Amino acid sequence: MNLVQEGLALGIPAPGPGAHQRPSAARIYRMWFGTEGALPTDEDLARKILNAFPREPAAAKINRAHHLLITEALATRGISQVLDIGCGYALPRPQGGGDLLFTQNTHDVVQQHWRSASVIYADIDHDVVARWRSLLSHAPTASLPKAVLADVTDMARLLTQLEADGHLTRDRPVAVLLHDVLPWVPDDGRVHDAVAYLRSWLPPGSALSITHATADLSTTWVERVQAVYGEEGIAFRPRDRQSITSLFGDWGDLYGGPVRTVPTARHQTRHQFATVPDYVSAGYAGVAIKPQRAG
């Protein structure tokens, strides 16, 4: 079964004619880290985004640094099953140098602590998954990471399949990373339903980490970015702090007490951009742990 057939079986339509010539938010995200492979249409849209919000590359790096720090924190906590949903492209070493911090990917961090860890990358983009599979086929790891096609709004299908295939087990905690993926789903109801199902499915002790764009911290700039994407037919939905916090349900914070939803650069004290103004993050981050009681 090829990737297109696999997607159709999951209810994910094949890319339409000319799909690979249209701008891609995933490819543009990778551009901010100095990697190659963008199309002229990506470059045109990237210029418009920079005109709307010149700090966009910094916001992307803040999000990525947080991703790596949280992955490290959860692995250190003892969680050896990690599901990275909406993973986007891998970030290979930039041409001509660059910050090597950002060349790490989720499995690189987790498997420094757990060589036999189960790491699953999931994305709705066929090209993203194809490239991950090519990269991971050569990964020198004790437990080969997996890359799967998935629609974040069809959480039941994704989790059922991962459990059936033996990629995840519910007899020990799972860390789920939903980093900069939910803003690309404009339907609030579908987002809440998907995350609610995820919370109910995960075993006690599991972690849910979310980063999410918001207009709370830089209203004009983020709304301009939203309009730029909208002109290209790309749905982008910033949400406010209350809406993002509600996605954690009644779970407690990673460090105890009520879950904290704070500007991304300020969530982890070790974050290299912890002192930048909040508007540069342009998003919130929160990490919660499922309690031992049901919920």
Side-chain angles (χ1 to χ4, degrees), residues 47-197:
R47 281 191 289 270
K48 294 177 183 177
I49 293 169
L50 287 174
N51 286 335
F53 184 27
R55 298 285 188 169
E56 183 68 22
K61 290 175 181 178
I62 286 170
N63 185 71
R64 187 64 182 180
H66 174 81
H67 175 94
L68 297 172
L69 287 169
I70 285 301
T71 302
E72 169 83 12
L74 296 176
T76 301
R77 188 183 175 92
I79 300 179
S80 59
Q81 299 188 101
V82 180
L83 174 56
D84 187 349
I85 304 179
C87 58
Y89 289 99
L91 295 179
R93 186 186 298 267
Q95 296 296 317
D99 192 337
L100 296 183
L101 169 69
F102 298 118
T103 67
Q104 296 184 84
N105 291 292
T106 306
H107 69 279
D108 299 314
V109 176
V110 177
Q111 292 179 341
Q112 289 174 16
H113 297 271
W114 307 99
R115 293 296 295 169
S116 60
S118 178
V119 179
I120 300 99
Y121 294 98
D123 204 282
I124 198 170
D125 188 305
H126 289 71
D127 187 57
V128 166
V129 174
R131 289 174 182 255
W132 269 112
R133 288 183 178 176
S134 176
L135 174 68
L136 295 175
S137 66
H138 305 293
T141 60
S143 177
L144 197 64
K146 306 295 188 297
V148 301
L149 274 173
D151 180 346
V152 68
T153 65
D154 195 354
M155 194 67 73
R157 192 196 297 257
L158 169 62
L159 297 173
T160 299
Q161 191 63 53
L162 290 175
E163 187 174 21
D165 291 343
H167 298 331
L168 289 180
T169 177
R170 299 172 75 184
D171 63 1
R172 64 184 193 274
V174 179
V176 179
L177 311 177
L178 287 173
H179 292 169
D180 191 34
V181 57
L182 299 178
W184 307 100
V185 182
D187 188 316
D188 292 343
R190 296 185 73 184
V191 165
H192 279 272
D193 288 349
V195 179
Y197 185 92

